[in-house]
Amino acid sequence: MNLLQSMKMAWKSISGSKVRAFLTMLGIIIGVSSVITLVSAGQGTTSQITAQLEGLGTDLLTVSIMGRGSSSSLTLEEAIDLADLEGVANVSPVISGSVTAKKGTTNDSLSVEGITPSYEEVQDFHIQAGRYIVDLDNSFRMKVALIGTEAAATFFGTENPVNQTLQLNGVSFKIVGLLESKGSSLTASNDNKLLIPISTAERFLRSPGVRSITVQVEDTNQIDRVKSQLEAALDKKFLNADNAYNIFNSQEMLDTLNSTTQMLSLALGGIAGISLLVGGIGIMNIMLVSVSERTREIGVRKAIGAKQRDILTQFLVESIALSGFGGLVGIGLGYGASALIGQYSELSTSVSAPVVAFSFGFSLFIGVVFGMIPAYKAAKLRPIYALRTD
């Protein structure tokens, strides 16, 4: 008997008891769909976070000064002087705070950042209308501001905000530029804020000194060396004080994230894979029952010349067919569940072909492994005993 005949007989046996076949495949279906859904959700979320971290720039180092008071911060000149370190392309000191903004009857709380002109290049944050903050604004502590698109829509609607005024804590600021839409970062919205000259921010926000500096390196390969130079310069400034500052490297966090999420995806896949093992046990049980029910049929076939390998092949093909069909249905459900999660929740999903191929291949492997025992039992039946079975 050739393989094609075995496949026909397996199909006839499965189609003859559809409900039992479906229940047998259920464990495989749940297992495959669970593996695809959970891993795709994990990979999608990882990709989303990775994109946000990469958006911070892998060539950037963020220096955060801890503590309070002027002695626990850098002066604007000291922060700018960090650009003289070897391997540093540019620096962008920032002073942050929040204000109550008012335009007519509209009031809202906005985050404010005091910046220098280098902010545009370092943060890759440009304007779509008007002009940027310039050195002259800082020299004369000008009360001018750049406004994000979300904040502009709140206070000015569809009007062009450039050259209009906005009250910040009761002080009039002139809007000189409309920022491009940047979306949200890991911490907050980049479109619902104002940028003002850093010298103005020191006095207006009553925040003397700089506690946050973004350092752009010339080459990402030099980032570790630049970090060491920054640490040496800051240790000299703060006399090796413990926890005086922190230097954040987005590339290090990106590497850690990738390592962690890979382990998480493997764990999720392993948990879902347990369903596949349960499904394989279900297939073995049903096939053992099938052997008992078809003992006389096996005896007749062996009596008229069927060999052990023919019986073995028939039951093995039937087991593989059950797991294979279950795997295909599980793949369809996995794709569907992933699409629904991505559409109706904040989670991002990403179904990868290798995960689908692995899930389906593992379901076939389960069919072979757990189908071998029933198939071997059927092949070993002696014709004389099989024929005596009612």
Side-chain angles (χ1 to χ4, degrees), residues 46 139 179 224 228 232 275 293 306 318 349:
T46 300
S139 298
L179 294 164
D224 290 333
S228 297
S275 299
E293 291 177 347
E318 192 171 326
T349 58

Short mmCIF file of all heavy atoms in Angstrom, two decimals, residues 46 139 179 224 228 232 275 293 306 318 349:
data_model
loop_
_atom_site.label_atom_id
_atom_site.label_comp_id
_atom_site.label_asym_id
_atom_site.label_seq_id
_atom_site.Cartn_x
_atom_site.Cartn_y
_atom_site.Cartn_z
N THR A 46 7.50 44.75 21.89
CA THR A 46 8.94 45.00 21.89
C THR A 46 9.33 45.95 20.78
O THR A 46 10.11 46.89 20.97
CB THR A 46 9.71 43.67 21.72
OG1 THR A 46 9.39 42.80 22.80
CG2 THR A 46 11.21 43.91 21.69
N SER A 139 20.39 85.79 24.83
CA SER A 139 21.22 86.91 25.30
C SER A 139 20.39 87.96 26.01
O SER A 139 20.83 88.56 27.00
CB SER A 139 21.96 87.54 24.11
OG SER A 139 22.84 86.60 23.52
N LEU A 179 6.02 74.13 16.15
CA LEU A 179 6.83 72.91 16.03
C LEU A 179 6.15 71.86 15.15
O LEU A 179 4.93 71.85 15.02
CB LEU A 179 7.09 72.32 17.42
CG LEU A 179 7.95 73.15 18.36
CD1 LEU A 179 7.81 72.66 19.78
CD2 LEU A 179 9.41 73.10 17.91
N ASP A 224 31.01 55.09 24.42
CA ASP A 224 31.54 54.67 25.73
C ASP A 224 32.68 55.58 26.17
O ASP A 224 32.79 55.92 27.35
CB ASP A 224 32.03 53.22 25.66
CG ASP A 224 30.89 52.23 25.53
OD1 ASP A 224 29.78 52.55 25.99
OD2 ASP A 224 31.10 51.14 24.95
N SER A 228 32.79 58.13 29.46
CA SER A 228 33.86 58.13 30.46
C SER A 228 34.39 59.55 30.68
O SER A 228 34.68 59.95 31.81
CB SER A 228 35.00 57.21 30.02
OG SER A 228 34.55 55.87 29.93
N ALA A 232 34.29 61.80 34.11
CA ALA A 232 35.49 62.43 34.69
C ALA A 232 35.26 63.92 34.94
O ALA A 232 35.62 64.45 36.00
CB ALA A 232 36.68 62.23 33.76
N SER A 275 0.01 23.56 25.80
CA SER A 275 -1.26 23.15 25.18
C SER A 275 -1.03 22.17 24.04
O SER A 275 -1.85 21.27 23.80
CB SER A 275 -2.01 24.39 24.66
OG SER A 275 -2.32 25.27 25.70
N GLU A 293 -11.21 -0.04 18.52
CA GLU A 293 -12.47 -0.13 17.78
C GLU A 293 -12.28 -0.81 16.42
O GLU A 293 -13.22 -1.42 15.89
CB GLU A 293 -13.05 1.27 17.56
CG GLU A 293 -13.56 1.95 18.83
CD GLU A 293 -14.06 3.35 18.57
OE1 GLU A 293 -13.79 3.87 17.46
OE2 GLU A 293 -14.72 3.93 19.46
N ALA A 306 -1.77 -7.38 4.10
CA ALA A 306 -1.21 -6.10 4.56
C ALA A 306 -0.05 -6.38 5.51
O ALA A 306 -0.13 -7.26 6.37
CB ALA A 306 -2.26 -5.26 5.24
N GLU A 318 -2.77 9.05 9.83
CA GLU A 318 -4.00 9.57 10.43
C GLU A 318 -3.69 10.50 11.60
O GLU A 318 -4.30 11.57 11.74
CB GLU A 318 -4.86 8.40 10.91
CG GLU A 318 -6.27 8.78 11.28
CD GLU A 318 -7.15 7.57 11.53
OE1 GLU A 318 -6.96 6.54 10.86
OE2 GLU A 318 -8.04 7.67 12.40
N THR A 349 0.86 44.16 17.85
CA THR A 349 1.18 42.76 17.56
C THR A 349 1.97 42.66 16.26
O THR A 349 1.80 43.48 15.36
CB THR A 349 -0.10 41.90 17.44
OG1 THR A 349 -0.94 42.45 16.42
CG2 THR A 349 -0.85 41.87 18.76
#
